[in-house]
Amino acid sequence: MKKTFVGVRLKRLREERGLTQLALAQALGLSASYLNQLEKNQRPLTVPVLLKINEIFGVDVQLFSEGEEGRLVADLREVFTDPLTSEHVSLAELKEVASAMPALGRAVVALNRRLRHAVERADAMAGELGLGSGGMAMPAALMPYEQVRDFFYARHNYFAELDDAAERLAQARQLIPGDMAEGLARYMDMRHGVRIERAEDKAAQRRFLPGERVLRLSRRLDDGQRAFQIATQLAFLEQGALIERLAEEASAGVKETRALTRIGLANYFAGALLMPYRVFVAAAEQERYDIERLGARFGVGFETICHRLSSLQRPGATGVPFFFIRVDRAGNISKRQSATDFHFSRVGGTCPLWNVYEAFAQPGRILTQLAQMPDGRTYLWIARTVHHSAGGYGDPGKTFAIGLGCDIRHAGRLVYSKGLALDDPSAAIPIGAGCKVCERPSCPQRAFPLIGRLLTVDENRSVFTPYSEG
């Protein structure tokens, strides 16, 4: 196991709690000299000490994880390959910042994102006005959906209070996973005086009429979808204060962001209610994370199961840490969640060699892929298309590809690893976060050169690999 040195983070935790070295050492059952050596990075953090910190202070172990550090390194690399940043910083320096000063690193990443969005908006506005690009503008806030996406990403798609509340409700009402629609309807009527009505509504799956105490659900919904919509409305009724507090934290005063966050959190609660944490984790392990079997067991669709699998981060009872992504045919990412350190590019799209795009060519079929990032980390990815339609002939529908991935060290726990050469490094497809930030020198699929890298252009030579560097 790699030695983990976390002196700065440990010292920051101590100072935030207002503790002296002696007081923290006594709380952890360590000598003051040993704690002093930990804070000075003269000794690595051990698993027993980490678990003791979690037990006493309730600190998420992700604070000290290699995965969190890896995610920050990837984000910082993107910052310092951005043409808006003129300074060259080595990978070794970035790793040092991520390891020793993570708060500083996150601040740099946040500032760069605000700068980039401001420049993009200034260029877009200049283009609309026919003024060309390159002008200066006041920094602009992120778009509401981007704020929401970043909020869920930063929280590793896990909200303990909502998860726990949903599990308690499922237990108290003795709701049966996979058959909750009628039980939830009775509970809504008894507890909140809300009557469930079925209606022919093509425009909305759920419509709540608070004055009439009626929740109208589309007749087109199946039992699992009906249960999910009732549970979503129940989240607003019973977890409104918690949802509002979290939404205010995410919104930074932006009304649209607050509204979108509230919906996202209510959906999170609904998924946690239909798939109670401990029951779902046990079933996932038993079924070896077979998504279709879990869908049949809990009465929900492929995408909903994937969402839930990406949220299993309860301390002491974690599932496989998955990454979740949803894309359309044009490559637009409408959803992305990462329980750990997989890096989704924010510059110039994602990698075309990723199997999430191949899924569109084989609709409805589950594809597997061993994929290796430029840093050598290898992942198992599962991808499949999902289709949503209003139901009638000729009605427009929408098709997405869902990708679910995990680090290869967890792959043996998944049924999808069957038949794959997990021990053969050459079996992995080399992919990257996106062409503009991918440093692979010889990728034939490259669409753009690496930002900040000088190119060798020779009109007398034609090569197979685009944007060759030499």
Side-chain angles (χ1 to χ4, degrees):
M1 178 179 174
K2 180 182 175 182
K3 293 182 179 180
T4 304
F5 295 91
V6 293
V8 173
R9 277 175 276 188
L10 186 58
K11 184 177 181 180
R12 180 184 176 191
L13 172 65
R14 176 173 62 79
E15 291 175 345
E16 287 175 348
R17 303 302 172 99
L19 299 174
T20 64
Q21 274 193 346
L22 179 60
L24 180 58
Q26 290 175 341
L28 298 177
L30 306 174
S31 69
S33 62
Y34 185 84
L35 180 63
N36 184 57
Q37 290 175 319
L38 285 175
E39 289 193 357
K40 291 183 176 180
N41 283 333
Q42 294 173 353
R43 283 179 177 269
L45 184 70
T46 64
V47 172
V49 174
L50 176 58
L51 295 178
K52 192 70 173 178
I53 292 172
N54 176 257
E55 176 186 343
I56 294 175
F57 299 106
V59 174
D60 189 347
V61 295
Q62 290 279 356
L63 177 66
F64 299 102
S65 72
E66 293 179 29
E68 186 71 10
E69 182 180 316
R71 178 199 290 223
L72 182 55
V73 169
D75 284 342
L76 287 169
R77 292 193 75 180
E78 188 169 287
V79 167
F80 290 101
T81 54
D82 193 324
L84 298 173
T85 309
S86 59
E87 188 72 28
H88 173 72
V89 181
S90 70
L91 180 58
E93 290 174 297
L94 298 181
K95 288 181 176 179
E96 181 66 23
V97 170
S99 174
M101 294 172 284
L104 176 62
R106 288 191 294 270
V108 170
V109 171
L111 287 171
N112 177 260
R113 287 175 183 169
R114 288 185 178 277
L115 173 62
R116 189 166 64 240
H117 280 275
V119 171
E120 288 174 355
R121 291 205 177 180
D123 284 349
M125 183 174 292
E128 288 291 326
L129 297 174
L131 302 176
S133 61
M136 295 299 293
M138 293 296 290
L142 300 177
M143 296 180 68
Y145 80 90
E146 293 168 326
Q147 287 182 301
V148 175
R149 193 169 62 185
D150 286 356
F151 175 69
F152 276 80
Y153 183 79
R155 297 289 291 263
H156 298 278
N157 197 30
Y158 177 63
F159 298 88
E161 293 172 282
L162 286 174
D163 231 309
D164 295 345
E167 187 173 44
R168 287 194 301 270
L169 178 58
Q171 291 174 340
R173 301 303 305 172
Q174 298 182 331
L175 298 171
I176 302 171
D179 189 22
M180 287 193 182
E182 293 305 321
L184 285 173
R186 288 193 298 269
Y187 178 71
M188 284 284 277
D189 189 12
M190 180 191 71
R191 180 72 174 82
H192 298 283
V194 174
R195 186 175 74 258
I196 309 297
E197 289 184 355
R198 308 289 291 277
E200 192 62 43
D201 191 340
K202 292 184 178 181
Q205 299 181 78
R206 169 178 55 87
R207 195 184 299 273
F208 182 52
L209 307 175
E212 302 175 29
R213 307 306 289 172
V214 169
L215 178 63
R216 287 182 181 161
L217 301 178
S218 172
R219 292 185 182 277
R220 299 170 184 267
L221 301 180
D222 59 33
D223 286 346
Q225 293 169 326
R226 193 155 53 94
F228 187 90
Q229 293 300 332
I230 297 173
T232 298
Q233 193 62 53
L234 193 58
F236 290 121
L237 294 173
E238 295 200 348
Q239 301 299 320
L242 174 57
I243 287 174
E244 181 63 21
R245 174 167 61 80
L246 292 169
E248 284 295 327
E249 178 186 335
S251 68
V254 180
K255 181 177 66 174
E256 293 84 356
T257 301
R258 172 180 162 275
L260 288 172
T261 305
R262 284 174 56 83
I263 294 171
L265 292 169
N267 288 340
Y268 181 97
F269 177 87
L273 180 57
L274 269 58
M275 295 163 277
Y277 196 98
R278 278 172 287 190
V279 173
F280 186 77
V281 169
E285 291 288 344
Q286 182 181 4
E287 300 289 0
R288 294 192 63 201
Y289 292 86
D290 189 312
I291 299 168
E292 290 173 311
R293 283 183 175 272
L294 290 171
R297 192 161 172 170
F298 288 90
V300 294
F302 188 91
E303 182 176 346
T304 305
I305 291 292
C306 290
H307 259 295
R308 188 57 172 147
L309 287 173
S310 72
S311 69
L312 304 181
Q313 301 304 307
R314 179 178 290 178
T318 58
V320 168
F322 283 107
F323 332 110
F324 171 89
I325 191 167
R326 189 180 78 175
V327 303
D328 63 18
R329 292 180 184 273
N332 301 305
I333 299 176
S334 51
K335 294 181 181 179
R336 63 171 171 221
Q337 304 296 343
S338 179
T340 177
D341 64 331
F342 188 80
H343 181 56
F344 299 108
S345 175
R346 297 168 182 270
V347 181
T350 52
C351 181
L353 298 177
W354 202 358
N355 71 335
V356 71
Y357 297 110
E358 176 65 23
F360 288 109
Q362 303 182 56
R365 180 183 174 189
I366 292 179
L367 307 181
T368 60
Q369 179 187 51
L370 292 179
Q372 187 179 74
M373 297 294 283
D375 63 2
R377 298 280 297 269
T378 303
Y379 303 90
L380 170 60
W381 277 97
I382 304 132
R384 203 201 82 173
T385 56
V386 294
H387 183 75
H388 306 283
S389 172
Y393 175 76
D395 289 341
K398 50 187 179 182
T399 301
F400 299 100
I402 302 297
L404 196 70
C406 69
D407 192 283
I408 196 171
R409 69 179 183 272
H410 302 293
R413 296 164 65 182
L414 277 59
V415 66
Y416 304 105
S417 66
K418 189 184 300 182
L420 298 180
L422 301 181
D423 298 325
D424 182 2
S426 66
I429 302 297
I431 70 170
C435 290
K436 291 184 178 180
V437 295
C438 180
E439 62 269 32
R440 293 192 185 280
S442 55
C443 177
Q445 194 65 57
R446 181 178 284 280
F448 305 100
L450 174 65
I451 291 174
R453 187 72 58 83
L454 294 176
L455 301 179
T456 300
V457 181
D458 185 350
E459 64 183 34
N460 296 315
R461 185 173 65 128
S462 177
V463 294
F464 182 69
T465 303
Y467 304 107
S468 176
E469 299 172 20

